Amino acid sequence: MFESLQHLITGFTIAATVHNLLYCLIGCIVGTLIGVLPGLGPIAGIALLIPATFGLNPTSAIIMLAGIYYGAMYGGSTTSILLNVPGETASVITCIDGYQMAQKGRAGPALAIVAIGSFIAGTIGIFGLVFLAPPLAEAALAFGPPEYFSLMVFGFIVLSNVTGKSFLKSLMMAIVGLIIGAIGLDPVSGDARFTYGSISLLGGIEFVAVAIGVFGIGEVLVNVNQPSELLDQKVLRPRLRELYPSLQDLKKSVGPILRGAVSGFGIGLVPGPAPVIATYASYMIEKKVSKHPEEFGKGAIEGVAGPESANNSACQAAFIPLFVLGIPFGPVTAIFLGALLIHGVSPGPLMISQHPDLFWGVIASMYIGNFILLILNLPFVPLFANILRIPKKILLPLVILFCITGMYSVNNSVFDIWMMLLFGAMGFLMRKWAYEGAPLLLALVLGPKMEVAFRQSLMISHGDFGVFVNRPISMVFLLATAIFLIFPGVRFIFKQLKKGGI
Amino acid sequence: MLRKIIIGLSLALVLFMCAPIQAAEFPTKEVQIIIPWSAGGATDLIFRALGATTGKYLGEAVVIVNRTGGAGAVGYTEAMQAKPDGYTLVSAITPLTILPHRVKTAYTYASFEPIINVVKDPGMFLVRSDAPWKSLEEFLGYAKKNPEMITVGNSGTGGGVHLIALAFEDAAGVTFNHIPFAGGGPSVTALLGGHINAVSVSPPEGIEHVKAGKLKIIALFSEERFEMFPDVQTVKEQGIDFVMGQWRGLVSSKGTPPDVVNILHDAFKKGMEDPVFQKNAKDMAINLHYLGPEAFGKLMAREHELFGKLIQKMKK
Amino acid sequence: MAGTGMFPLILGILLMFLSCIFLLKLLYQHKKTTTKRDSGGEVRRSPVQLILFFGTMVLATAFFDKLGYPLASFLLLAALLRTLGMKQWTLNILLSLMTAAASYFLFVHWLQIPLPKGFIGL
């Protein structure tokens, strides 16, 4: 362990050279700009800029790309808070309380706590990476198809009612999300489902289209539907004092940030859309742990601090499988894999021993990147918050242009824009009739993977359903799900019995 | 009056902005390669490496876009519909000539304009180093006694390595239990975790782990042994006359003008010969096999025929 | 065994099931509470603005490819601003123009994001 510490210090000396610091800075700035545009997430940003790194040595190149990655994460939360437009998939949860805070004139504290929370979580994450990487990577391998399925079922059931009051309605939204997720080619057998012969639907409906549609466009439409007088207004004028978190805010956020960091890190090890799941889970945890759960959904700062911290540490944890096993667990790490290859470094079990400079240099620069972003973003908070001073009449069309541009940039597809509009209309109705969007999006993300894991498990076990309970990890998750579902019922029955008096 | 002037000027400005930019030589912006498979798989890795080195010879960046789904159907369909202006290429690999025989797709290899072939790699089976089978003989022996019991992962139903595994079943007279995954990366991960017994891949998938000693090659479907692993015998040497692999090249949509094809071809060829790519290729243990547009076109046509017959035979 | 259609089938059944429960719940509640007016104070507003707004978005999307990004974004902004009640055309056009231009230069020129070129060729 001390060896690791020594290596880390070496890493810092590498990362802290003027050159590398500059690259990190450039990466962070560009990343933030890219992240702010909805849809164009870190993936596209990193991919766009890989060519710019050609002339650099591998370490500097990866440092810059990592900066872009983080910057994009930050940028994504900015639009979620200010405009209810999720900058990218993991920012969806931030929309819920973050936007409400902005509506109450507290955009500043929200933005700031995102920066602060991410920084702290990043620090914790780095330590986790340094000291726990190899054993965690091995643990991640223990997850096979049955474990994924049970984990996802657990996550799905538990997280479906993360927002809103009616469990029933949330479940219905979740199922709708699952159905939308089933549109397209069946990943296991290759047959087309729900496509009605349309080639555009073969690939399924783009998640970003649904997310921006339901949240962003839906919100805009709700606003447009208000009487004209309201449209001349701006969102409350933030006063300078109120631009930064108060002491009370900070006190309230400590717990969520720490909890988010730890839980996010654990969840980040699971392959697939880990950061998204981490944000939902953190929100859930904070809601359950809080003494004032009714504040959630109306602008509780815990609902922003926790998920954003979880997001950050999940992103860090995602690098573990890449660096230790050489296998990317998600699209972003896959791009990093490509970038590494291009610079002549083959990630895998041998990478750390063969290229210690690179590995530790990158780890150190991740930390530095976090720090740079904190310094960059805090002063910008007032600037961003002032965006809300623009009268709604002008702001709303801008948001629409913004969303359309971002949407198109994901796949160069006008069809995606149509989908976004369609889900925008749906989002409007959902808002009117009090149906929650979060469960739908969660289902859209988890559903296809759940189904694949289910069928893979059955194929491996030759149709034996016992495979889900015979394996310890899988069993644990299924039991947890069962307990979660039955518990309220049991409690209800208990109460009735007590009332009736036996 | 002032208002009218402002409006007028503004409109003029709009029109001015819209004046067409002088047409420049190809390429004037980045070139996209669509990869119909997930990031981290063999095709993805190879073309990312190639895209990186080709960028400077082309004068514009080469960007990789993953478009997964349906054993390639999603990515190929999209590429087929792209404008034939040379800015959208797609990685043409063996499944391009397989899938159209299995399902009714909107495309076949003939819907594309061949540009260049890059690699031709053999298929292989990997198992964990601690697997109970120490040799191909033991592996097949077990398989014969326990039909459909050995789980063999692949990168997707109907994909290249899946078919290689099916064809190998035929040649060796055994049956396996095929488990599809969303790409080469996840299938190797599942093997590492011990959730499946073996995996059907082609380099560079899994190579790093063989180098590190965690996985070993139990069956190699090529004519000659690997330069990097000279101790591994091919199945041919061990009595099963089976050689099958995958080719990977680049194509663009039909109708791309010949001079654009040439520019692309020349740039990618130089990218292949670039020392950085050569080193990457060696590290990934992939077998470079350059073919020009005509030869590549003929290769695809031949494979299309071959798989047509194979699929007919396999349609039980 | 676990075929392609299984999952959607299960989902469909679940959805029907939940909808039934929901309906039952609604009917039960409806019987319990007397019909009270929906929360008073909801201003009656005509949906015209909303329809115009959404309609503009639809039109812009339909012609997005043909018009090309700069022109489409300019027209979209101008139309949306007007829909929301901005009647002074000078301000409207100026704002839309500047924004469309800025957005064009930022995204197409600087970040090099591929956006449609349209018949004008930008």
Side-chain angles (χ1 to χ4, degrees):
Chain A
M1 183 161 117
F2 283 118
E3 211 188 282
S4 300
L5 205 53
Q6 215 177 3
H7 283 300
L8 186 61
I9 296 178
T10 319
F12 268 107
T13 50
I14 297 175
T17 62
V18 177
H19 275 302
N20 288 340
L21 277 177
L22 190 64
Y23 292 130
C24 196
L25 183 67
I26 296 177
C28 290
I29 295 179
V30 174
T32 310
L33 280 177
I34 288 180
V36 166
L37 186 66
L40 196 67
I43 302 172
I46 297 175
L48 278 175
L49 284 148
I50 289 184
T53 66
F54 283 164
L56 307 171
N57 67 63
T59 314
S60 305
I62 301 290
I63 287 178
M64 184 159 112
L65 293 174
I68 296 175
Y69 184 39
Y70 285 130
M73 291 286 162
Y74 271 55
S77 1
T78 307
T79 51
S80 303
I81 293 173
L82 294 176
L83 304 169
N84 205 44
V85 174
E88 38 101 42
T89 62
S91 315
V92 168
I93 283 278
T94 313
C95 288
I96 297 178
D97 274 87
Y99 184 63
Q100 289 306 318
M101 281 181 74
Q103 296 293 76
K104 297 202 168 91
R106 306 237 299 144
L111 290 170
I113 210 75
V114 165
I116 297 174
S118 297
F119 176 68
I120 298 180
T123 314
I124 298 180
I126 299 268
F127 279 111
L129 209 90
V130 168
F131 298 116
L132 297 175
L136 281 178
E138 293 296 324
L141 280 182
F143 273 74
E147 284 76 26
Y148 287 139
F149 177 69
S150 307
L151 171 66
M152 285 196 258
V153 167
F154 177 67
F156 186 68
I157 298 285
V158 167
L159 300 175
S160 288
N161 195 29
V162 108
T163 62
K165 301 199 205 68
S166 166
F167 190 48
L168 186 63
K169 278 166 137 182
S170 294
L171 263 188
M172 285 206 280
M173 281 292 102
I175 297 193
V176 170
L178 286 178
I179 294 180
I180 299 177
I183 298 178
L185 281 168
D186 173 350
V188 174
S189 70
D191 301 319
R193 297 194 289 200
F194 295 125
T195 55
Y196 299 107
S198 151
I199 299 185
S200 312
L201 283 177
L202 267 183
I205 296 189
E206 176 67 52
F207 174 83
V208 173
V210 180
I212 300 182
V214 169
F215 279 82
I217 309 263
E219 180 65 26
V220 169
L221 292 177
V222 164
N223 274 295
V224 170
N225 200 28
Q226 285 172 346
S228 311
E229 309 82 59
L230 283 182
L231 288 178
D232 278 327
Q233 274 182 14
K234 359 187 171 223
V235 186
L236 305 179
R237 256 191 132 81
R239 286 192 286 268
L240 188 61
R241 240 178 307 134
E242 291 174 4
L243 279 176
Y244 287 104
S246 65
L247 207 56
Q248 202 190 30
D249 286 332
L250 289 173
K251 259 205 300 189
K252 278 203 239 173
S253 305
V254 169
I257 291 179
L258 290 175
R259 281 188 288 266
V262 174
S263 64
F265 193 74
I267 297 178
L269 290 171
V270 175
V276 183
I277 301 177
T279 55
Y280 274 73
S282 168
Y283 193 80
M284 187 72 181
I285 294 175
E286 291 315 311
K287 213 174 161 187
K288 293 259 172 230
V289 161
S290 160
K291 300 195 181 67
H292 305 278
E294 63 287 349
E295 276 174 27
F296 279 75
K298 300 208 192 82
I301 200 164
E302 297 91 329
V304 177
E308 280 297 322
S309 310
N311 187 6
N312 200 324
S313 58
C315 290
Q316 303 232 316
F319 279 97
I320 292 184
L322 176 66
F323 285 146
V324 176
L325 299 175
I327 297 183
F329 271 8
V332 183
T333 37
I335 303 221
F336 269 95
L337 176 68
L340 283 170
L341 274 179
I342 283 163
H343 288 276
V345 177
S346 320
L350 301 174
M351 187 185 101
I352 302 183
S353 41
Q354 281 178 345
H355 299 268
D357 284 355
L358 176 67
F359 181 67
W360 295 107
V362 172
I363 304 275
S365 81
M366 284 183 177
Y367 188 77
I368 295 182
N370 257 316
F371 187 64
I372 290 182
L373 279 166
L374 185 70
I375 304 181
L376 261 187
N377 278 298
L378 280 180
F380 279 127
V381 161
L383 178 69
F384 285 134
N386 279 330
I387 289 180
L388 292 180
R389 278 208 191 162
I390 304 177
K392 281 198 189 168
K393 208 157 54 174
I394 299 183
L395 188 61
L396 292 176
L398 287 178
V399 172
I400 296 285
L401 179 65
F402 203 44
C403 291
I404 292 185
T405 310
M407 185 72 252
Y408 187 80
S409 69
V410 174
N411 283 333
N412 284 13
S413 151
V414 182
F415 182 75
D416 281 346
I417 305 184
W418 287 118
M419 285 292 107
M420 183 179 76
L421 291 185
L422 178 68
F423 283 100
M426 187 164 146
F428 173 70
L429 293 174
M430 278 164 66
R431 198 68 59 85
K432 234 176 149 214
W433 297 329
Y435 281 90
E436 292 295 317
L440 193 149
L441 271 101
L442 183 69
L444 189 57
V445 164
L446 285 185
K449 305 211 186 290
M450 242 173 38
E451 190 198 350
V452 170
F454 183 66
R455 288 159 73 178
Q456 276 175 335
S457 306
L458 284 182
M459 283 170 90
I460 293 180
S461 69
H462 293 277
D464 176 22
F465 277 87
V467 71
F468 296 113
V469 286
N470 287 337
R471 298 156 70 117
I473 304 181
S474 171
M475 174 67 150
V476 164
F477 284 114
L478 286 180
L479 266 180
T481 313
I483 294 179
F484 189 81
L485 282 175
I486 300 178
F487 190 62
V490 167
R491 221 167 32 160
F492 183 70
I493 296 179
F494 246 46
K495 275 207 217 146
Q496 296 298 66
L497 287 176
K498 269 214 289 199
K499 273 206 271 187
I502 301 178
Chain B
M1 188 59 209
L2 185 63
R3 191 191 291 186
K4 288 208 190 118
I5 294 180
I6 293 183
I7 294 181
L9 272 176
S10 314
L11 288 174
L13 191 58
V14 171
L15 287 171
F16 179 83
M17 241 172 49
C18 301
I21 302 176
Q22 228 178 352
E25 242 201 43
F26 176 87
T28 57
K29 61 172 181 163
E30 66 193 22
V31 168
Q32 221 188 40
I33 300 183
I34 296 184
I35 303 212
W37 280 271
S38 63
T43 312
D44 179 78
L45 293 175
I46 293 173
F47 284 104
R48 280 187 194 275
L50 182 62
T53 54
T54 305
K56 53 179 184 262
Y57 299 111
L58 196 57
E60 288 283 338
V62 174
V63 171
I64 308 291
V65 173
N66 299 87
R67 209 55 98 219
T68 63
V74 177
Y76 284 124
T77 311
E78 195 183 306
M80 178 189 85
Q81 296 172 322
K83 273 201 281 221
D85 55 9
Y87 285 108
T88 312
L89 309 177
V90 68
S91 58
I93 75 178
T94 312
L96 175 60
T97 53
I98 298 177
L99 193 64
H101 298 292
R102 291 185 65 234
V103 287
K104 181 134 186 23
T105 54
Y107 60 87
T108 65
Y109 77 94
S111 322
F112 299 102
E113 202 77 61
I115 298 182
I116 186 173
N117 188 50
V118 183
V119 300
K120 199 151 182 279
D121 283 311
M124 58 185 184
F125 272 24
L126 300 177
V127 297
R128 284 163 57 118
S129 311
D130 56 5
W133 312 289
K134 298 280 174 271
S135 71
L136 179 64
E137 247 188 272
E138 288 179 32
F139 186 68
L140 291 177
Y142 186 88
K144 279 208 181 77
K145 291 204 208 94
N146 306 282
E148 294 217 2
M149 281 302 290
I150 299 189
T151 45
V152 178
N154 58 63
S155 58
T157 308
V161 292
H162 182 212
L163 263 112
I164 292 178
L166 287 175
F168 183 55
E169 278 184 329
D170 246 17
V174 295
T175 49
F176 301 115
N177 184 5
H178 302 272
I179 312 287
F181 286 88
S187 63
V188 173
T189 311
L191 178 65
L192 281 171
H195 304 288
I196 48 178
N197 302 121
V199 75
S200 171
V201 289
S202 73
E205 291 158 356
I207 291 290
E208 280 301 312
H209 300 274
V210 177
K211 273 201 247 177
K214 294 233 164 93
L215 298 179
K216 66 171 186 259
I217 305 176
I218 194 119
L220 178 59
F221 310 131
S222 69
E223 288 280 0
E224 291 151 5
R225 299 194 184 185
F226 264 132
E227 220 181 278
M228 191 178 287
F229 307 111
D231 298 325
V232 176
Q233 291 184 314
T234 69
V235 298
K236 205 165 179 192
E237 289 177 43
Q238 300 180 67
I240 305 183
D241 187 12
F242 180 70
V243 168
M244 197 163 168
Q246 296 200 80
W247 39 266
R248 304 183 214 268
L250 285 171
V251 300
S252 71
S253 45
K254 195 138 203 77
T256 311
D259 50 337
V260 170
V261 170
N262 279 333
I263 296 179
L264 286 169
H265 164 266
D266 293 338
F268 278 106
K269 180 147 191 283
K270 292 209 198 95
M272 269 177 77
E273 292 158 359
D274 184 285
V276 174
F277 182 70
Q278 295 273 332
K279 173 174 181 299
N280 273 334
K282 211 148 171 275
D283 282 338
M284 295 196 274
I286 58 177
N287 187 27
L288 296 180
H289 185 94
Y290 161 78
L291 285 178
E294 260 196 56
F296 187 34
K298 290 208 193 95
L299 170 68
M300 289 199 282
R302 268 200 321 262
E303 293 275 295
H304 185 86
E305 286 278 328
L306 176 69
F307 282 111
K309 296 202 197 91
L310 214 62
I311 300 282
Q312 291 294 357
K313 214 168 56 134
M314 283 178 191
K315 279 210 167 123
K316 348 179 192 171
Chain C
M1 195 218 104
T4 303
M6 182 186 79
F7 200 59
L9 184 65
I10 297 180
L11 288 179
I13 295 179
L14 269 176
L15 195 58
M16 281 200 301
F17 180 61
L18 285 179
S19 308
C20 287
I21 299 184
F22 190 59
L23 271 174
L24 287 173
K25 235 178 124 181
L26 274 180
L27 287 172
Y28 182 64
Q29 275 178 345
H30 191 70
K31 280 204 202 127
K32 269 174 64 176
T33 61
T34 50
T35 44
K36 61 175 186 201
R37 277 254 114 192
D38 202 16
S39 47
E42 251 184 32
V43 181
R44 271 272 158 266
R45 47 191 172 272
S46 81
V48 173
Q49 195 176 45
L50 183 64
I51 295 178
L52 277 179
F53 193 84
F54 195 68
T56 313
M57 282 161 57
V58 170
L59 273 179
T61 311
F63 289 106
F64 198 56
D65 258 333
K66 294 206 194 67
L67 289 176
Y69 184 67
L71 193 55
S73 48
F74 170 66
L75 291 175
L76 176 71
L77 282 173
L80 288 179
L81 281 173
R82 175 65 186 89
T83 317
L84 290 184
M86 180 177 276
K87 297 212 180 85
Q88 317 111 288
W89 279 106
T90 331
L91 187 58
N92 188 336
I93 294 203
L94 203 60
L95 210 55
S96 307
L97 195 62
M98 282 189 334
T99 313
S103 144
Y104 173 72
F105 283 113
L106 176 62
F107 298 125
V108 180
H109 264 227
W110 200 54
L111 289 178
Q112 295 223 323
I113 297 170
L115 284 160
K117 288 212 166 130
F119 66 83
I120 319 178
L122 257 187

